[in-house]
Amino acid sequence: MFCPECGSTDKEMVGDICIDCFLKEFQMIEIPKRIEVQICSHCNSKLEEGKWSDEFIPEEEIIYRALERNIKTADEVEDEIINLEIDQIKGTIAYCYVEVAGKVHGTQIDETHDTEVKILKTVCPTCSKMQSGYYETVIQFRADNREIKDEEYAKADEIVERTLQKQSATDKLAYCPQIAKLKEGYDYYIGSFKSGHKVADALKEEFGGIIKESPRLISEDKSTGKGLYRVWISVRIPEFEIDDFIKYEDKIMQVTSISKNSVVGMDISANKKHNIPMKNMEDIELVKKASDIESATIISKSPQFIQILDPIDYSTVDLNMVEEYEDLNAGEEVKLIRIDNNIYLLIK
């Protein structure tokens, strides 16, 4: 066939022209002369195809990835080897070149292309939210019918900090921009719904109690028309504490442990442990605090009774002998609690 470009008749043809004429204008790759990359100046995440990546990537790696993403290789190229090089970086511009070696219709050819990558420093949406004090969840730390103690607040602060630190590995909004210290309790403002729920669960794990959620519509996303919500999560810890005395289903018990899902109490009449589901917290009545425990002295002991000296008026009180009192002896000091005009000895 006749090549209309050079007149050759004895060369391999590629379409309507010979291979030599084809290769004169052929480029194995296409790459823009200038590539722009947006990087968050706070967290170094980058914007790719309209989405921000959360992973931290060194700047040079971002440049190489930008080069790779913008290279288009022609279909005719086979066995290509592409080498990317950063020649120099001046300010926010990286001057680069791309070397390509490959075969086109059986002919080995090489190419070099110059390009530059412009780093545009900006602020990603997540960091912008953090700078503005954005939050999605408010954890309301409260106690049921009592004031929260200073040591409980200190423990709650520690739990919130520890939980958010752990969550930050996978959630950039795992932070607390504000703690409102109110008379009724602390309000912890948490960046994301996900981490807010983790914090609430961790507080309940430590203190027990009941969790209730209240989502509130705050605005509407103009682009999607969907409502934007914040969630208020109430963590209400029990009125009673360990060693306090409670009444549940007509049983008087001393609290021995409080966990996320249950309260364990010792029936002070039958000396038997009972497990109460935490979801029934509202049915538990606090009858006496641990601080109400008194000390008394055993005066005498018989097969039917054990006699103690009342520490209030120093009168003698006879209590029916039960198995738990058998090892007690006259002269010993014992602990007691008064509930509903009854005196109970506390034997551990």
Side-chain angles (χ1 to χ4, degrees):
M1 293 181 65
F2 172 76
C3 176
E5 298 285 338
C6 67
S8 173
T9 58
D10 59 351
K11 295 179 181 177
E12 176 189 349
M13 302 295 289
V14 180
D16 296 330
I17 59 177
C18 72
I19 183 67
D20 290 343
C21 292
F22 174 81
L23 292 177
K24 284 180 183 178
E25 302 297 329
F26 181 78
Q27 285 192 340
M28 289 191 287
I29 67 167
E30 291 182 9
I31 187 167
K33 287 294 184 182
R34 183 174 183 137
I35 301 167
E36 292 186 346
V37 180
Q38 292 190 52
I39 298 177
C40 178
S41 56
H42 295 276
C43 68
N44 221 45
S45 61
K46 67 183 186 305
L47 182 65
E48 287 184 329
E49 299 176 353
K51 294 182 180 181
W52 286 91
S53 68
D54 289 336
E55 58 180 330
F56 178 86
I57 302 173
E59 192 169 282
E60 285 194 1
E61 180 62 23
I62 289 173
I63 294 169
Y64 283 123
R65 291 191 183 189
L67 294 171
E68 290 174 351
R69 193 171 61 253
N70 284 274
I71 292 173
K72 293 182 179 179
T73 305
D75 295 337
E76 294 89 345
V77 180
E78 297 178 343
D79 302 330
E80 69 272 18
I81 298 175
I82 300 176
N83 182 41
L84 308 175
E85 292 291 342
I86 299 173
D87 187 33
Q88 59 178 326
I89 298 177
K90 290 186 177 180
T92 60
I93 299 177
Y95 297 92
C96 311
Y97 61 90
V98 181
E99 297 176 334
V100 188
K103 290 183 180 180
V104 179
H105 294 287
T107 302
Q108 183 71 33
I109 57 176
D110 302 294
E111 284 179 8
T112 299
H113 296 261
D114 294 320
T115 186
E116 58 187 48
V117 178
K118 170 73 172 177
I119 304 295
L120 301 175
K121 294 289 187 177
T122 184
V123 180
C124 72
T126 300
C127 289
S128 178
K129 288 178 178 179
M130 293 175 67
Q131 287 182 320
S132 66
Y134 174 86
Y135 63 94
E136 294 178 355
T137 310
V138 179
I139 308 297
Q140 297 177 308
F141 184 59
R142 304 288 188 267
D144 195 22
N145 298 321
R146 69 174 175 89
E147 291 187 0
I148 298 175
K149 297 177 179 178
D150 288 343
E151 55 266 31
E152 290 175 317
Y153 280 130
K155 187 65 177 179
D157 288 349
E158 178 189 327
I159 290 169
V160 172
E161 182 180 358
R162 184 175 67 243
T163 303
L164 292 178
Q165 185 175 6
K166 183 178 179 180
Q167 283 294 111
S168 65
T170 56
D171 181 4
K172 288 176 69 175
L173 287 175
Y175 73 111
C176 181
Q178 180 185 352
I179 302 175
K181 299 182 178 181
L182 310 174
K183 182 179 179 181
E184 61 270 26
Y186 283 7
D187 286 354
Y188 297 95
Y189 291 72
I190 308 298
S192 73
F193 294 126
K194 178 182 176 182
S195 291
H197 282 98
K198 291 289 186 182
V199 168
D201 287 342
L203 289 171
K204 188 174 186 291
E205 183 76 42
E206 174 67 26
F207 296 103
I210 295 175
I211 291 178
K212 292 184 178 179
E213 294 188 21
S214 175
R216 303 178 193 177
L217 180 66
I218 57 169
S219 63
E220 185 178 277
D221 189 324
K222 295 180 180 179
S223 62
T224 64
K226 294 182 178 180
L228 298 176
Y229 289 85
R230 283 192 176 126
V231 176
W232 271 253
I233 303 178
S234 169
V235 180
R236 187 161 55 91
I237 67 176
E239 178 181 13
F240 50 84
E241 302 170 79
I242 290 176
D243 290 334
D244 286 348
F245 298 87
I246 58 174
K247 186 176 183 180
Y248 179 74
E249 294 182 344
D250 297 325
K251 296 181 179 67
I252 303 296
M253 292 175 269
Q254 186 175 23
V255 178
T256 58
S257 70
I258 301 172
S259 66
K260 178 179 181 179
N261 297 313
S262 66
V263 178
V264 178
M266 178 68 75
D267 187 329
I268 59 176
S269 293
N271 198 36
K272 181 180 179 182
K273 281 190 176 182
H274 294 273
N275 195 304
I276 308 169
M278 186 57 74
K279 64 182 181 180
N280 296 341
M281 188 180 89
E282 293 178 346
D283 298 323
I284 301 173
E285 177 188 355
L286 173 67
V287 291
K288 287 286 183 174
K289 297 292 292 181
S291 56
D292 294 319
I293 295 174
E294 302 173 60
S295 296
T297 302
I298 299 173
I299 298 175
S300 65
K301 175 183 173 184
S302 71
Q304 291 80 32
F305 300 101
I306 188 166
Q307 191 175 71
I308 64 168
L309 185 66
D310 191 314
I312 293 179
D313 59 10
Y314 300 105
S315 63
T316 58
V317 178
D318 291 330
L319 301 175
N320 291 327
M321 176 61 71
V322 293
E323 182 180 351
E324 289 74 31
Y325 301 166
E326 289 179 356
D327 292 333
L328 298 176
N329 296 299
E332 286 187 35
E333 187 175 88
V334 290
K335 301 294 184 183
L336 63 85
I337 190 74
R338 301 171 195 267
I339 299 174
D340 297 334
N341 297 317
N342 292 315
I343 292 179
Y344 300 88
L345 294 189
L346 304 177
I347 309 299
K348 293 188 178 180

